């Protein structure tokens, strides 16, 4: 998904400022789809406006510059649906933890153990966010619920895998370290 499509996706749920789009793309329900910085969002919004796919209105604010609020047009909705109808790129997954796991045999066991515990805590935090009804109230949009449930299933599987197989990863580091690691513990 491109930043352009991400902006249209967010705006298809309601009007938003560039700041709100950024917040939704980094912390909100759209944070799972595409990385988007302010440096990519605002140029995308400007192009979308120039193409008639979004409109912008300025809302005055007391003591501050007016804020720009973007709305998707019917042409923007059509463009968005067309973009979703095209074959999607493969999902991408990047994990600094997996780089540690890949190199476990080169690392001290305590480094691997800490990385494993950190990853479990991160997954538990993500599960907490996904199941927190304050962050994710019961949405009237059925796709939102399905997408959240998919994320919960992925995080539950990840946590179970880490719990069931974490000691095997630590053992890789211990075996590579040999007697030095045993004497240090």
């Amino acid at each position: 998904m491109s930043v352009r499509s991400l902006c249209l996706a967010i705006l298809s749920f309601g009007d938003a400022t560039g700041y709100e789009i950024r917040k939704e793309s980094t912390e909100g329900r759209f944070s799972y789809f595409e990385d988007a910085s302010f440096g990519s969002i605002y140029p995308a919004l400007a192009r979308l406006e120039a193409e008639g796919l979004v409109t912008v209105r300025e809302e005055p604010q007391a003591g501050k510059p007016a804020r720009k609020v973007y709305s998707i047009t019917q042409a923007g909705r059509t463009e968005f649906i067309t973009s979703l109808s095209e074959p999607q790129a493969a999902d991408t997954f990047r994990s600094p933890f997996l780089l540690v796991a890949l190199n476990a045999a080169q690392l001290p066991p305590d480094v691997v153990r800490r990385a494993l515990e950190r990853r479990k805590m991160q997954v538990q935090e993500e599960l907490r966010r996904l199941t927190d009804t304050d962050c994710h109230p019961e949405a009237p949009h059925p796709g939102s619920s399905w997408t959240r449930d998919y994320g919960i299933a992925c995080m539950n599987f990840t946590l179970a895998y880490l719990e069931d197989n974490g000691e095997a990863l630590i053992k890789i580091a211990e075996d590579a370290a040999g007697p030095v690691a045993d004497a240090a513990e």
Side-chain angles (χ1 to χ4, degrees), residues 15-17 49 55-60 66-71:
D15 297 354
T17 64
E49 182 187 10
T55 58
V56 63
R57 69 179 184 279
E58 290 193 1
E59 292 181 351
R67 66 186 212 140
K68 292 183 176 184
V69 179
Y70 297 87
S71 304

Side-chain angles (χ1 to χ4, degrees), residues 29-183:
R29 67 178 140 178
F30 293 90
S31 63
Y32 302 97
F33 307 118
E34 181 71 34
D35 288 332
S37 65
F38 286 121
S40 62
I41 290 171
Y42 286 111
L45 288 170
R47 284 190 300 279
L48 290 168
E49 182 187 10
E51 295 171 21
L53 303 177
V54 301
T55 58
V56 63
R57 69 179 184 279
E58 290 193 1
E59 292 181 351
Q61 301 183 98
K64 299 182 200 171
R67 66 186 212 140
K68 292 183 176 184
V69 179
Y70 297 87
S71 304
I72 192 168
T73 65
Q74 188 54 48
R77 287 183 194 283
T78 301
E79 168 83 14
F80 177 57
I81 296 304
T82 299
S83 74
L84 291 178
S85 300
E86 296 171 3
Q88 72 272 17
D91 285 351
T92 57
F93 178 76
R94 291 176 177 80
S95 171
F97 166 74
L98 288 180
L99 186 58
V100 171
L102 178 68
N103 292 285
Q106 300 175 54
L107 296 169
D110 63 317
V111 170
V112 175
R113 184 175 285 108
R114 280 193 311 270
L116 180 66
E117 291 306 314
R118 243 187 336 271
R119 182 64 185 135
K120 286 194 277 189
M121 287 188 331
Q122 291 165 346
V123 171
Q124 289 166 341
E125 175 60 22
E126 189 64 27
L127 271 168
R128 188 198 61 73
R129 278 198 317 251
L130 286 169
T131 57
D132 184 350
T133 54
D134 290 337
C135 293
H136 296 279
E138 205 46 49
H141 187 271
S144 293
S145 296
W146 191 95
T147 304
R148 183 188 64 242
D149 291 347
Y150 177 84
I152 291 168
C154 290
M155 291 295 107
N156 278 324
F157 177 84
T158 298
L159 189 57
Y161 189 86
L162 294 171
E163 291 289 343
D164 294 346
N165 299 285
E167 287 303 315
L169 181 62
I170 294 167
K171 183 152 178 30
I172 291 170
E174 289 171 344
D175 289 351
V180 175
D182 294 336

